[in-house]
Amino acid sequence: MKHTDAADRAAGPARDLRAMVVDDEPDLARLVASYLERDGFEVAVTGDGVQAVDLARSVDPDLMVLDLGLPGLDGVEVCRRLREFSDAYVVMLTARADEVDTLIGLSVGADDYLTKPFSPRELSARVQARIRRPRAGLGGPRTVRTDRETRVFGDLTIDVAARVVTVAGSPIHLTRTEFDVLAVLSADPGVVVTRSALIDAVWRTGWDGADHLVDVHIGHLRRKLGDDAARGQYVTTVRGVGYRMGAGR
C-alpha cells in the first residue's frame, strides 16, 4: 500500500486527484486510504486535527475524509478552518448516529456524513458519485444549459463556465456543493426544484441521508449571498415543495 502520512508524503508525480484521510484510528485510516488509492487518488493521512489543517494547505485536496473525534482540533473545527481556503469535498465520519443531526445543525460545511462502522465500499461509491462527475449538475437529471454561461438575477451574476459568482460586483466564495445547488436552481429560474430533485442533481444516486441537508446548503447560500428566507431575493422557498430562484429584486 502506498499511502503517506503527515510526515512523509509519497514521492513521484502527483495524480489528478488528491485526498486526505484524517482519523486517529490508524487501522481505519489505512483501510480508507487503500480504497481511495485504488480509485486513483494520491492520499495523505494524518490523525491530528491541527496537522490536518496545515497539511491541507500544502496538499490542496479534492477530497477530505474527516473524523469528528480528533485530538488537537475536532472535526467540526477542522472543517470550519478548511472552508476558509478550500472547497474540497468533505465526508465527515461520526461514531454515533445521533451526531449526524448535530453536525447538520452546526452547518460546518461538510458535504456528506457516514456513521461508524461503515463499509469502505459505500464510502468509495459515494465519493465516485460526487467527485468524478461533471460539476454543476452537468449530465444529471436536470442538465445545466451551457448555452447560457452567464446568468443574472438583479445584483447576482453566475458565470457557470468559470464557476464564478458575484453580488454587486463583489466575488462570493462558494464551496463546490453550494455552487452546484445554485447552478441547478438558476438553470430554469421559473421552475420549482424539489429537495429530492436537488439531491439527484447535486449529490446523485446513492445518497441515503436526510433531505434537510439540502436546507443546510440553501442556508449557506443565503448567508453568503446576503439573502434571507423571508425575502427570498435570490433563493425562494416554496413551502412543502422545494426552492426556485428569486428575481433578484
Side-chain angles (χ1 to χ4, degrees), residues 182 185 218 221-222 225 227-229 231-237 243-246:
L182 187 61
L185 290 174
I218 291 291
L221 268 176
R222 282 174 168 155
L225 298 178
D227 199 2
D228 61 73
R231 186 179 180 190
Q233 180 180 5
Y234 300 125
V235 180
T236 300
T237 301
Y243 299 95
R244 62 174 171 78
M245 286 299 295

Side-chain angles (χ1 to χ4, degrees), residues 19-125:
M20 286 180 57
V21 178
V22 186
D23 198 302
D24 62 346
E25 298 180 46
D27 291 342
L28 177 61
R30 285 193 293 268
L31 179 62
V32 171
S34 69
Y35 271 80
L36 293 176
E37 286 172 344
R38 185 189 64 182
D39 291 338
F41 286 89
E42 178 184 354
V43 184
V45 177
T46 182
D48 178 86
V50 175
Q51 278 191 326
V53 176
D54 292 339
L55 187 61
R57 293 184 185 277
S58 60
V59 170
D60 188 21
D62 299 285
L63 165 72
M64 180 180 285
V65 180
L66 176 62
D67 186 36
L68 176 61
L70 292 170
L73 294 176
D74 65 15
V76 169
E77 186 60 27
V78 171
C79 194
R80 283 179 174 149
R81 296 191 186 188
L82 179 74
R83 285 295 177 239
E84 295 175 359
F85 60 88
S86 173
D87 64 350
Y89 277 120
V90 175
V91 180
M92 190 78 81
L93 305 180
T94 70
R96 302 192 312 272
D98 60 359
E99 289 177 335
V100 173
D101 287 337
T102 300
L103 285 169
I104 292 174
L106 287 172
S107 303
V108 297
D111 298 292
D112 204 347
Y113 306 86
L114 280 174
T115 303
K116 296 179 179 180
F118 62 90
S119 164
R121 292 179 182 273
E122 179 185 3
L123 172 63
S124 178

Side-chain angles (χ1 to χ4, degrees), residues 108-225:
V108 297
D111 298 292
D112 204 347
Y113 306 86
L114 280 174
T115 303
K116 296 179 179 180
F118 62 90
S119 164
R121 292 179 182 273
E122 179 185 3
L123 172 63
S124 178
R126 290 195 184 189
V127 168
Q128 293 302 312
R130 287 157 180 77
I131 210 160
R132 288 195 181 278
R133 64 176 172 81
R135 304 302 306 167
L138 293 174
R142 296 181 53 79
T143 302
V144 176
R145 297 196 302 268
T146 57
D147 60 338
R148 183 182 173 185
E149 293 184 354
T150 302
R151 303 166 185 172
V152 179
F153 303 86
D155 287 337
L156 171 64
T157 300
I158 306 163
D159 186 331
V160 177
R163 297 181 67 83
V164 172
V165 175
T166 61
V167 173
S170 298
I172 307 297
H173 176 72
L174 301 180
T175 67
R176 295 182 183 186
T177 302
E178 290 162 1
F179 184 91
D180 289 354
V181 169
L182 187 61
V184 172
L185 290 174
S186 63
D188 292 297
V191 175
V192 178
V193 185
T194 65
R195 289 173 178 82
S196 61
L198 275 169
I199 287 172
D200 286 344
V202 176
W203 283 267
R204 291 299 180 102
T205 57
W207 170 253
D208 58 0
D211 286 359
H212 63 271
L213 183 62
V214 172
D215 303 331
V216 170
H217 286 282
I218 291 291
H220 293 171
L221 268 176
R222 282 174 168 155
R223 282 192 295 275
K224 291 183 178 181
L225 298 178

